Amino acid sequence: MATELIEHLEQGVLTLTLNRPEQLNALTVPMTEAMLAALRRAAVDTKVRVVVITGAGRAFCAGGDVKAMAEDDATQHTLESRTLQLREHMESSRLLREMPKPTIAVVRGAAAGAGLSLALACDLLLASDTAKFTSAFVKVGLSGDFGSTWFLTQLLGPRARAFALLSPVVKADEALSLGLAARVVPDAELDAEATTLARQLADGPSIAIGHIKANLNAAEQGVTLGQALDHEAIRHIRCGMTDDHQEAARAFVEKRAPKFVHI
């Protein structure tokens, strides 16, 4: 059996490819466990500066494997054990959002259900013009996982209710206008654009990027303005004490591109 998750690290960019193309990369237990393990390693590995998640073939991820769900004998497991396993797997969404490294979802074709949740968990969602987005959970009698309701509410506000309850299929251009996608490019240009975007972030000031993410995550979690200012003050001063800031300041004066230290 082919590896369900392919990991490739090159020049600081770790690419995780969901690899069940014939099943539109529907998630299995081995795949989600491998993804979680890879993200946990990436979060602390100094050789990884950017994480890219994508899908093999013509889709990003169609969500959970509905065929496997239909064949599952729910009586073989307790509610508690199944809940604990799912909650463990869902840590992938938190890591994509909260690790101190930029994360990019590269989406072509379908991003549905948990696949959509994982894509929205990333800092940036780069979409092909073939991409289609849908919640899908209500269509299979489920309520949503991998952070679906949190991410949709953050991005869509009151419109999240219609998106979750009615599960429309949203094409790439509409996803861009709604704020679900950060950028849409022609499908033939998707891989090259993803490489350029990942390279830009990997070559950037990694300490500052981590602190920017931390500030944004704190703001999303509902801190007060005063608390946000406190976070910004200490992180801004911390970044100002780094070699990266000193190098950027010198480069600005010397009218050249900075060369950041990669740690």
Side-chain angles (χ1 to χ4, degrees), residues 115-229:
L116 175 63
S117 302
L118 289 167
L120 297 182
C122 294
D123 298 309
L124 298 170
L125 194 164
L126 175 65
S128 157
D129 57 8
T130 69
K132 296 181 180 180
F133 304 87
T134 185
S135 170
F137 292 112
V138 71
K139 295 182 178 179
V140 290
L142 293 171
S143 57
D145 59 5
F146 282 81
S148 170
T149 50
W150 194 87
F151 295 122
L152 289 175
T153 301
Q154 288 288 322
L155 292 166
L156 301 182
R159 292 174 294 185
R161 292 179 180 270
F163 193 92
L165 292 171
L166 303 178
S167 193
V169 176
V170 172
K171 294 183 179 180
D173 287 345
E174 186 178 357
L176 181 63
S177 66
L178 288 171
L180 298 178
R183 193 177 302 174
V184 174
V185 299
D187 187 69
E189 300 173 14
L190 182 66
D191 295 334
E193 184 69 15
T195 298
T196 298
L197 184 58
R199 184 80 270 126
Q200 176 184 339
L201 290 166
D203 289 342
S206 56
I207 293 174
I209 287 171
H211 284 298
I212 290 169
K213 280 196 65 167
N215 284 335
L216 292 169
N217 286 331
E220 285 179 340
Q221 291 160 13
V223 298
T224 65
L225 174 58
Q227 290 168 330
L229 296 175

